[in-house]
Amino acid sequence: MLSKKRSSIWNHFTIVDQKYAKCSYCSNKISYGGGSSGNLLRHMKTKHITVPLDRTARHHSSNTMTEHDHIEEHNIDEPSTSGMPASNTSTQILTSVTPTNIRPVQSSITSYVQKPLSITKSKKIDSQIAKLIIKHYHPFSLVEEKEFKNLIQMLAPGYVLPSRKTVSNSLLPQLYESTVDTIKIKLKNVTAVCLTTDAWTSINNDSYVAITAHYIDDDTKMSSILIGCQHFTARHTGVEMSSLRIEQVNKWGLVNKITMIVSDNAANMVAAVRLCQWRHFPCFAHSINLIVQSGLEEVKPILSKVKAIVEYFKRSSHALSRLNDIQKQCGYSVLKLKQDCPTRWNSTYDMVDRLLKIKEPILSTLAIINNDLNTITFDEWNVLKVLCQLLKIFYDVTNEISSENYVSISKVTIFSRAMVNYASGYTNNRTMPTEICSVAKILTEKLHSRFDQLETNEVVMQSILLDPRFKKQGFPNNDKYQSAYQSLSRKVQNLPIGQDAQEPETTVGIGPLSGPETIWKDFDTRVTAVSGGSNVTVAGILELDRYIAEPLLKRTEDPLVWWNERKLVYPKLYQLVCRRLCVVATSVPCERIFSKAGMVLTERRSRLTTDKVEKLLFLNHNLD
């Protein structure tokens, strides 16, 4: 029996103790008592038959000959010597190369220089190749491609690549399980999380539901984890969706840590959150999309003409080539036209904005090739120009609010008021085209209907106050500020601090103090009255007041960096910061997951099972 250091079976097991080893694929503990690895070998052959047991065996170099090769090399036709018949010559040659006369073939020097890699090193390379496939959307068959094999052979001659099945059926599950364990450890110490969720349908018509968790880590930085992108076969009702979310939350130990869940405004999504009895925040970006889409209905005939022009250049390679030539001749940078997407209003903005930037080359090209499409009038061109000016603020807000690495929840009321004020300026402006006034009026009405209630949302109001960039200045008036202050004050008074609970109570009636205590008695009494002493309620209020009195942080700076430097100064408030500022204002993180899903599950990889898709997306997002 080979020793543990040399046997290839230890590529697949980790020693737990002197009696048991843990399988790297199914995590079962197998006995190897007495130093025998027979049990381990039987386990691999019965439970993991697709895993090659020995991938470190080296093949002989092509220039190393076997006995048979040596015989065949000498058993060739040679010219006979003078006076000797050819048949005798052959007999003599065959006699001279009998096995008793063969000398041992000398081993190639490469068999000594290119030794197999150690088990530890081989496992590290296996893991890195799996990460390469996962993070960069490569197919599992990458390990079987000739040029990739040649590259690995050049870089690590002693390494033997795993097969495609080994990567997909062994390395992928192994990496998934280890990553799950790592994330569970991270989430165990988290005090509060915000969840975002959304649904997606693949090219195979399989439905997936993604859930991301956002929290503030020990270094006071925003962290994001995909806790699941699960294949969902049930109907997309509120009841079924809520069951899935509760299952995921229980799996990751987040039952009592949910601060808020963010999703789009779909009725089933809202109903699912309500059934789970969590706070719900409608995706800010999705709300903006619905608002602007309503306003764009007023200029739909003009946008249809724009779309027809863009589609023409997208279909005709000849027209596109002429357009590029004319752009060069006119001194323009060669820009491509953009096609809008019906579900994303900002793609419509991009389409119109790009058309306006290369308006002259487009008109010149149409005049030469297809002047029938040139149906946009002078007034309509002016409408498109002003429309882009009106929608620019909505476009900028959508981009800024969609971040998942920075604090966003404290900005929503500031942005909503800014959009209302900006759109209102176009409503009754007589210098503006009639169509623009109509668009602005609808935008203003929809903004009020969807965002006015944000100023009564407790979590939003407290997050504004806890953002050192805004504080009191983040509220439209003093009444709103006072309401948020009182709400936060009640919250901070009820927060226990470990050191407060451990402080001994003051002993009364032990007689007059002597020594230094007598000297400092009056002074200590006054300080205790000012600082609140061991009174948790007073200490919390004083902590909040000291924080409010600090100067505002610059708008461009990161509030979490500020809080990280002061978390020991304001321990109670810091607990609330972790619960409030972790909330993201949009469900865009889930939409990004599905963008990656579209790159994982392509036409060429449509045979991937749903289980592998789930693992690939999970690892793609969570691997460092």
Side-chain angles (χ1 to χ4, degrees):
M1 180 63 62
L2 294 175
S3 69
K4 289 182 288 185
K5 292 184 179 180
R6 294 184 181 181
S7 174
S8 62
I9 198 66
W10 294 103
N11 281 315
H12 315 286
F13 288 88
T14 303
I15 296 176
V16 178
D17 51 39
Q18 295 181 354
K19 293 183 178 181
Y20 293 96
K22 181 181 178 181
C23 176
S24 298
Y25 309 112
C26 64
S27 300
N28 286 335
K29 293 182 180 179
I30 311 299
S31 171
Y32 71 100
S36 171
S37 60
N39 285 345
L40 309 182
L41 184 62
R42 280 190 292 274
H43 174 78
M44 291 300 298
K45 288 184 176 181
T46 56
K47 300 295 184 181
H48 308 291
I49 57 176
T50 62
V51 181
L53 296 179
D54 187 3
R55 292 198 292 105
T56 60
R58 300 290 300 162
H59 299 288
H60 288 291
S61 177
S62 58
N63 57 1
T64 303
M65 295 182 297
T66 63
E67 266 187 18
H68 181 68
D69 296 331
H70 190 74
I71 294 173
E72 287 186 348
E73 184 177 343
H74 289 79
N75 190 18
I76 57 177
D77 292 332
E78 293 183 3
S80 60
T81 57
S82 57
M84 183 182 293
S87 57
N88 293 337
T89 304
S90 300
T91 303
Q92 183 178 358
I93 293 174
L94 288 173
T95 303
S96 66
V97 294
T98 56
T100 56
N101 296 332
I102 296 177
R103 291 179 297 175
V105 179
Q106 184 176 3
S107 300
S108 169
I109 191 171
T110 57
S111 63
Y112 296 97
V113 177
Q114 298 178 3
K115 294 182 179 179
L117 295 181
S118 66
I119 293 175
T120 303
K121 184 67 173 178
S122 181
K123 283 186 174 182
K124 286 183 178 180
I125 298 178
D126 284 349
S127 178
Q128 190 57 44
I129 289 176
K131 288 180 180 179
L132 171 69
I133 291 172
I134 293 165
K135 298 289 285 186
H136 297 280
Y137 314 102
H138 293 296
F140 295 128
S141 59
L142 174 71
V143 294
E144 297 178 348
E145 294 181 4
K146 180 180 178 181
E147 298 305 326
F148 184 74
K149 286 183 175 181
N150 292 340
L151 174 64
I152 296 299
Q153 180 64 24
M154 291 178 185
L155 297 176
Y159 173 71
V160 179
L161 275 167
S163 67
R164 176 178 60 82
K165 287 189 175 181
T166 300
V167 175
S168 62
N169 296 338
S170 300
L171 296 181
L172 179 66
Q174 182 181 352
L175 197 56
Y176 175 80
E177 293 298 332
S178 63
T179 306
V180 167
D181 293 340
T182 302
I183 290 177
K184 282 185 176 179
I185 293 173
K186 289 182 180 179
L187 293 178
K188 185 177 181 180
N189 300 323
V190 172
T191 58
V193 298
C194 167
L195 302 182
T196 72
T197 183
D198 204 353
W200 173 73
T201 303
S202 71
I203 58 174
N204 293 335
N205 202 30
D206 291 320
S207 179
Y208 293 85
V209 175
I211 303 176
T212 62
H214 306 265
Y215 62 93
I216 296 176
D217 63 17
D218 294 337
D219 297 323
T220 322
K221 295 180 180 179
M222 287 288 288
S223 296
S224 172
I225 288 175
L226 173 64
I227 63 175
C229 184
Q230 191 168 341
H231 181 222
F232 191 64
T233 56
R235 296 181 61 192
H236 286 213
T237 62
V239 175
E240 296 291 349
M241 300 284 273
S242 65
S243 299
L244 173 66
R245 289 176 175 82
I246 291 173
E247 177 188 340
Q248 289 292 321
V249 166
N250 289 333
K251 173 184 175 182
W252 295 96
L254 301 175
V255 177
N256 298 318
K257 299 180 180 181
I258 309 298
T259 293
M260 187 169 278
I261 184 165
V262 183
S263 71
D264 60 28
N265 296 273
N268 59 339
M269 290 287 188
V270 177
V273 177
R274 185 176 64 252
L275 290 171
C276 294
Q277 297 182 348
W278 296 325
R279 292 189 185 100
H280 177 256
F281 187 82
C283 173
F284 197 75
H286 185 254
S287 297
I288 292 177
N289 180 65
L290 296 176
I291 290 168
V292 179
Q293 292 282 16
S294 299
L296 291 178
E297 288 294 323
E298 297 296 311
V299 290
K300 191 172 182 179
I302 304 176
L303 294 177
S304 297
K305 295 180 181 181
V306 173
K307 193 171 183 178
I309 292 174
V310 173
E311 288 176 346
Y312 171 71
F313 283 102
K314 289 290 183 181
R315 290 195 307 267
S316 174
S317 59
H318 171 66
L320 181 60
S321 177
R322 292 299 299 270
L323 175 61
N324 292 340
D325 291 340
I326 292 176
Q327 287 186 74
K328 293 177 184 177
Q329 294 171 10
C330 296
Y332 286 79
S333 298
V334 177
L335 299 176
K336 294 182 179 180
L337 290 171
K338 295 184 177 181
Q339 182 73 63
D340 73 332
C341 173
T343 59
R344 293 174 56 244
W345 82 265
N346 49 347
S347 66
T348 304
Y349 173 87
D350 287 331
M351 178 180 70
V352 176
D353 183 61
R354 180 55 55 86
L355 189 78
L356 291 171
K357 286 181 178 178
I358 54 176
K359 172 185 172 183
E360 299 303 327
I362 286 175
L363 294 178
S364 299
T365 306
L366 291 177
I368 297 172
I369 298 178
N370 188 353
N371 202 43
D372 293 338
L373 283 173
N374 188 9
T375 58
I376 303 178
T377 65
F378 176 81
D379 290 338
E380 288 173 339
W381 279 110
N382 186 45
V383 169
L384 292 173
K385 180 180 178 180
V386 181
L387 180 66
C388 278
Q389 295 173 359
L390 171 60
L391 298 182
K392 183 65 164 62
I393 187 172
F394 294 87
Y395 187 84
D396 293 339
V397 166
T398 301
N399 289 336
E400 184 161 348
I401 205 68
S402 298
S403 170
E404 61 183 290
N405 297 321
Y406 301 97
V407 175
S408 58
I409 188 63
S410 58
K411 301 176 183 177
V412 292
T413 58
I414 296 174
F415 286 169
S416 63
R417 290 196 299 272
M419 290 185 290
V420 167
N421 294 335
Y422 188 80
S424 299
Y426 286 79
T427 304
N428 298 317
N429 192 332
R430 296 182 180 180
T431 63
M432 296 294 171
T434 306
E435 296 88 345
I436 296 299
C437 292
S438 299
V439 172
K441 183 179 179 180
I442 292 176
L443 293 177
T444 304
E445 293 174 352
K446 295 293 183 180
L447 284 167
H448 280 300
S449 65
R450 289 190 177 273
F451 294 147
D452 280 355
Q453 71 272 16
L454 291 178
E455 296 184 355
T456 61
N457 187 306
E458 184 183 68
V459 174
V460 174
M461 293 295 99
Q462 291 177 6
S463 70
I464 295 173
L465 204 54
L466 289 170
D467 193 321
R469 298 171 297 177
F470 307 136
K471 297 182 184 178
K472 186 175 181 178
Q473 303 306 317
F475 297 89
N477 53 59
N478 189 60
D479 291 340
K480 297 289 185 183
Y481 164 71
Q482 289 297 332
S483 176
Y485 177 88
Q486 295 300 327
S487 172
L488 188 60
S489 178
R490 289 190 297 271
K491 203 80 176 177
V492 76
Q493 289 176 37
N494 296 326
L495 286 177
I497 297 295
Q499 61 184 14
D500 290 336
Q502 295 171 4
E503 287 184 0
E505 294 184 1
T506 304
T507 304
V508 181
I510 61 173
L513 297 174
S514 61
E517 291 81 0
T518 303
I519 299 172
W520 293 102
K521 178 181 178 181
D522 292 339
F523 176 80
D524 289 342
T525 301
R526 290 197 302 271
V527 170
T528 301
V530 173
S531 64
S534 60
N535 189 319
V536 176
T537 300
V538 176
I541 295 175
L542 291 175
E543 187 175 306
L544 177 58
D545 288 340
R546 288 200 307 271
Y547 161 71
I548 296 295
E550 289 222 32
L552 289 177
L553 185 67
K554 290 183 180 179
R555 178 179 57 80
T556 54
E557 295 187 25
D558 189 346
L560 294 183
V561 173
W562 189 93
W563 274 111
N564 189 49
E565 296 170 350
R566 291 165 177 80
K567 58 185 176 183
L568 298 180
V569 179
Y570 305 112
K572 289 177 175 290
L573 289 178
Y574 184 76
Q575 291 184 59
L576 286 175
V577 166
C578 293
R579 299 182 187 181
R580 295 294 179 258
L581 299 190
C582 70
V583 178
V584 292
T586 71
S587 59
V588 170
C590 271
E591 296 178 14
R592 293 191 177 112
I593 297 298
F594 294 140
S595 295
K596 294 178 180 179
M599 300 174 68
V600 169
L601 199 59
T602 61
E603 292 288 349
R604 294 184 62 186
R605 304 182 72 188
S606 59
R607 290 168 57 189
L608 279 173
T609 64
T610 56
D611 177 65
K612 286 189 173 63
V613 172
E614 291 176 7
K615 289 182 171 62
L616 285 169
L617 290 174
F618 178 86
L619 292 171
N620 181 278
H621 184 85
N622 294 323
L623 280 177
D624 296 329

